């Protein structure tokens, strides 16, 4: 009998995942990961991880499976929290959920599972895995979940073949309502529980408060850049190669304070991210202001009016070789090669048509339509026919 360790988070998805595996005849063990605990920044006095671990325990009890809690706070702090502070300090916007899967759930946690003699690790992600044989070798495919509203393949875009080989996603074939139905029918305490929001495992934390602990406030100015800014209207030069054209299109405009008017103050450019609208506290504009650029060196936030401000829209981005990752290593592009894909630059975004171009130093992604707020530090992920082939950090 194959042994599976399920990451029970205290939510409905992982509860149903555990139930389904048991039904399929696996030997199932539930493990709750305690990853973060810091009372100074949680929003309310409720203690989410205690409540969650309690719910996870009750589910395990109901299903009659062994259960234990593992404390991964130290690894979590080192691999996720410190990394986040570091990225924000550099003026990039990290995605802790993607990292959490790569570094914690399918690495530290997976190691623990293997020490417990597990054959697989399972999670409650809405995605699917398929295995094919090619040239006599097993290759694992990461497929989008059946529920288009809930597809979470994006969060797993950094997994490797080795990690996928040992992963199971029992609810990938189901929709969220079906998952809730199963939980109800099995009388699981998590059946009606709301989906958790907020940072992966950090619980209910306000991001700025969280960042403020490490990144000191530093007063600076908010500049509003008009949509008539000179760079936006510049004629596109003639290029002697596609690569030069892509490099030109991927370059973001450079701003200085004299390019707009000062409309307010902020407490630190590193607390803001591109595309952000809330928290600027500047009134009196015809359309709301959006952050179009943050300059952490000079501590300036550049903003523009309205969500169609040209400072927000670009259609080419670049991923350097160091930050380029192929789940399907067998399909990785070689220099000079291109690939038609659909891609997204954030979790809830609908997939958009794009073309990949591999160059010596990395990979360009050219979207058919302009994308809003392409943000350094976030992940771009590309798909062909529902299969996530690869991803990279936007540079």
């Amino acid at each position: 009998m194959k042994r599976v360790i399920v990451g029970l988070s205290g939510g409905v998805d992982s509860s149903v995942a555990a139930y389904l595996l048991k039904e399929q005849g696996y030997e199932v063990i539930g493990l709750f990961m305690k990853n973060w605990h810091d009372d100074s920044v949680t929003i309310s006095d409720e203690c989410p991880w205690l409540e969650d671990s309690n719910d996870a325990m009750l589910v395990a009890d109901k299903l009659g499976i062994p259960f234990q809690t593992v404390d991964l706070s130290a690894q979590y702090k080192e691999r996720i929290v410190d990394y986040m502070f570091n990225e924000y300090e550099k003026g990039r916007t990290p995605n802790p959920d993607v990292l959490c899967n790569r570094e914690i759930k399918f690495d530290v946690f997976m190691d623990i599972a293997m020490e417990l003699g597990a054959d697989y690790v399972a999670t409650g992600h809405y995605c699917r895995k398929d295995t094919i044989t090619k040239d006599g070798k097993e290759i694992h495919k990461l497929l989008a979940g059946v529920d288009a509203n809930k597809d979470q393949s994006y969060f797993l875009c950094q997994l490797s073949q080795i990690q996928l080989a040992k992963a199971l996603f029992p609810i990938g074939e189901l929709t969220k309502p079906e998952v809730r139905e199963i939980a109800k029918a099995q009388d699981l305490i998590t059946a009606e529980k709301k989906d958790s929001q907020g940072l992966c495992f950090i619980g209910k934390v306000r991001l700025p408060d969280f960042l403020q602990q490490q990144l000191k406030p530093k007063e600076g100015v908010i500049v509003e850049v008009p949509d008539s800014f000179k760079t936006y209207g510049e004629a596109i030069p003639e290029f002697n190669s596609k690569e030069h054209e892509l490099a030109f299109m991927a370059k973001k405009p450079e701003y200085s304070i004299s390019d707009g008017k000062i409309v307010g103050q902020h407490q630190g450019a590193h607390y803001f991210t591109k595309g952000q609208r809330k928290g600027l506290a500047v009134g009196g504009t015809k359309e709301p202001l959006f952050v179009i650029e943050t300059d952490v060196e000079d501590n300036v936030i550049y903003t523009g009016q309205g969500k169609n401000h040209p400072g927000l829209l670009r259609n080419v981005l670049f991923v350097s070789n160091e930050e380029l990752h192929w789940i399907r290593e067998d399909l990785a592009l070689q220099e000079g090669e291109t690939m038609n894909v659909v891609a997204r630059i954030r979790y809830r975004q609908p997939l958009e048509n794009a073309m990949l171009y591999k160059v010596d130093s990395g990979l360009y992604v050219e979207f058919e339509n302009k994308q809003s707020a392409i943000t350094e530090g976030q992940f771009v992920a590309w798909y062909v026919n529902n299969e996530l082939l690869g991803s990279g950090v936007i540079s």
Side-chain angles (χ1 to χ4, degrees), residues 128-178:
R128 294 168 296 158
K129 176 175 114 175
D130 187 23
T131 303
I132 57 168
T133 308
K134 180 173 165 181
D135 306 329
K137 211 174 110 197
E138 270 202 343
I139 291 178
H140 305 286
K141 298 162 84 163
L142 177 63
L143 305 170
V146 169
D147 186 338
N149 292 321
K150 288 298 288 182
D151 167 37
Q152 290 173 318
S153 54
Y154 176 81
F155 290 136
L156 302 171
C157 68
Q158 285 278 298
L159 295 193
S160 65
Q161 284 293 316
I162 293 167
Q163 290 171 313
L164 268 179
K166 298 187 165 76
L168 294 176
F169 308 112
I171 63 169
E173 299 286 346
L174 302 172
T175 63
K176 185 79 189 202
E178 289 171 327

Side-chain angles (χ1 to χ4, degrees), residues 191-373:
E192 304 289 336
K193 195 167 170 182
K194 283 212 323 283
D195 288 353
S196 64
Q197 289 301 323
L199 297 182
C200 155
F201 301 135
I202 297 184
K204 305 180 172 71
V205 170
R206 283 203 189 90
L207 195 58
D209 299 357
F210 182 62
L211 293 172
Q212 251 149 5
Q213 293 189 308
Q214 299 270 334
L215 309 175
K216 293 288 161 263
K218 196 162 104 191
E219 190 151 298
V221 294
I222 300 175
V223 174
E224 185 192 332
V225 178
D227 50 18
S228 57
F229 176 58
K230 58 181 188 308
T231 312
Y232 302 150
E234 267 179 8
I236 294 170
E238 291 283 308
F239 300 101
N240 54 9
S241 74
K242 183 68 185 173
E243 188 174 341
H244 284 144
E245 181 192 342
L246 290 164
F248 177 85
M249 303 299 277
K251 219 170 68 219
K252 50 186 199 173
E254 302 271 318
Y255 301 104
S256 63
I257 293 186
S258 55
D259 294 329
K261 59 173 197 242
I262 293 176
V263 290
Q265 300 280 335
H266 62 81
Q267 289 307 308
H270 42 257
Y271 299 139
F272 289 82
T273 175
K274 237 182 268 192
Q276 182 173 335
R277 189 180 141 180
K278 295 193 171 72
L280 286 166
V282 176
T285 53
K286 200 165 115 198
E287 285 196 77
L289 287 183
F290 289 83
V291 175
I292 57 173
E293 190 58 76
T294 58
D295 177 347
V296 290
E297 292 292 301
D298 295 332
N299 198 30
V300 181
I301 292 175
Y302 293 98
T303 61
Q305 275 193 50
K307 57 177 189 292
N308 293 322
H309 188 280
L312 279 174
L313 305 170
R314 277 211 330 271
N315 70 330
V316 181
L317 62 85
F318 181 68
V319 174
S320 70
N321 283 330
E322 297 75 60
E323 303 197 290
L324 177 58
H325 173 75
W326 288 89
I327 292 181
R328 287 293 301 271
E329 296 153 12
D330 57 313
L331 299 179
L333 294 179
Q334 302 308 310
E335 193 183 336
E337 293 182 337
T338 61
M339 185 189 280
N340 271 311
V341 295
V342 285
R344 55 167 58 105
I345 54 172
R346 53 183 71 88
Y347 164 49
R348 295 294 291 190
Q349 185 195 25
L351 290 164
E352 301 258 341
N353 290 331
M355 179 75 110
L356 306 181
Y357 294 88
K358 183 73 185 79
V359 296
D360 175 41
S361 56
L363 178 94
Y364 285 103
V365 182
E366 181 180 32
F367 285 91
E368 200 174 283
N369 301 313
K370 291 205 164 185
Q371 302 297 306
S372 178

Side-chain angles (χ1 to χ4, degrees), residues 57-114:
M57 185 174 70
L58 291 168
V59 165
D61 196 44
K62 181 91 184 166
L63 295 175
I65 60 174
F67 174 78
Q68 68 184 76
T69 297
V70 286
D71 189 342
L72 305 181
S73 322
Q75 295 95 321
Y76 190 79
K77 183 183 179 312
E78 183 189 325
R79 296 199 194 188
I80 310 295
V81 179
D82 293 351
Y83 165 85
M84 281 178 66
F85 286 133
N86 194 9
E87 286 284 277
Y88 274 106
E89 222 157 18
K90 288 197 274 207
R92 302 197 341 165
T93 305
N95 187 317
D97 295 300
V98 171
L99 278 165
C100 197
N101 285 312
R102 182 182 83 193
E103 298 286 333
I104 304 289
K105 286 186 198 164
F106 292 93
D107 189 14
V108 177
F109 184 73
M110 197 170 249
D111 289 347
I112 292 171
M114 297 303 142

